Amino acid sequence: MYLKRLELQGFKSFADKTTLEFMPGIVAVIGPNGSGKSNISDAVRWVLGEQSMKSLRGSKSEDIIFAGTLTRKSLGFAEASIVIDNKKGKLPIEYEEVVVTRRIYRNGESGYYINKTACRLKDILELFMDTGIGRDRILYYWARENR
């Protein structure tokens, strides 16, 4: 089991649909200050159920939705998905690839999804319960498994 992909759209600085592929081995994210490096780990934490906006470096839930720039309008929603390779069956679900998604709209409506099926945060927490993975541990676990 490993973190295979991160898909973002409208999440903080990622206005356009962005896909980050993670391959076995060492992955480094580099870039200048303010380019969105920390937003990558924030997105993973958010998908896995982080509720504290302070932990995500914001003050209210709408702070994670792309706010716009001088040349670009703000967006009405944010979405992030983590794609887990589950070929070894460590997650208690009958899929070789598991996609966990969280979405929020400016009007406050939000939702969690497992493989595009609406679910509760509790379902996501239970999915990862016996794996040792949580919002604080998935990046560490991925790095350890793919040395």
Side-chain angles (χ1 to χ4, degrees):
M1 177 176 74
Y2 73 94
L3 178 59
K4 191 173 181 179
R5 228 172 21 254
L6 175 63
E7 300 169 349
L8 305 167
Q9 185 172 7
F11 185 86
K12 291 190 170 191
S13 59
F14 293 94
D16 296 323
K17 183 159 181 144
T18 303
T19 301
L20 303 168
E21 299 276 344
F22 299 106
M23 305 305 240
I26 297 174
V27 174
V29 179
I30 59 172
N33 290 345
S35 63
K37 299 179 302 292
S38 296
N39 294 344
I40 294 169
S41 60
D42 286 350
V44 173
R45 291 173 56 95
W46 184 66
V47 169
L48 292 175
E50 180 62 66
Q51 300 297 306
S52 166
M53 287 301 118
K54 187 176 179 182
S55 293
L56 297 173
R57 299 172 304 121
S59 58
K60 54 190 184 292
S61 59
E62 101 175 23
D63 289 344
I64 63 169
I65 301 172
F66 179 73
T69 66
L70 292 174
T71 59
R72 188 158 190 177
K73 291 175 120 179
S74 63
L75 295 180
F77 77 100
E79 180 177 287
S81 298
I82 58 171
V83 180
I84 305 290
D85 182 295
N86 190 40
K87 288 180 183 162
K88 295 180 181 176
K90 289 189 177 183
L91 293 177
I93 190 169
E94 294 183 17
Y95 292 94
E96 288 189 358
E97 189 173 87
V98 179
V99 182
V100 179
T101 303
R102 187 172 179 184
R103 184 180 304 141
I104 188 168
Y105 294 92
R106 275 202 194 277
N107 67 7
E109 185 180 325
S110 65
Y112 292 92
Y113 305 85
I114 297 175
N115 288 358
K116 297 185 180 182
T117 300
C119 66
R120 307 165 296 174
L121 172 57
K122 180 179 179 179
D123 299 319
I124 292 170
L125 297 175
E126 287 176 358
L127 179 67
F128 291 100
M129 188 176 298
D130 292 329
T131 64
I133 294 176
R135 61 185 171 263
D136 297 327
R137 303 271 302 165
I138 192 165
L139 295 174
Y140 166 78
Y141 183 85
W142 177 84
R144 188 189 65 174
E145 289 290 307
N146 293 287
R147 287 186 214 181

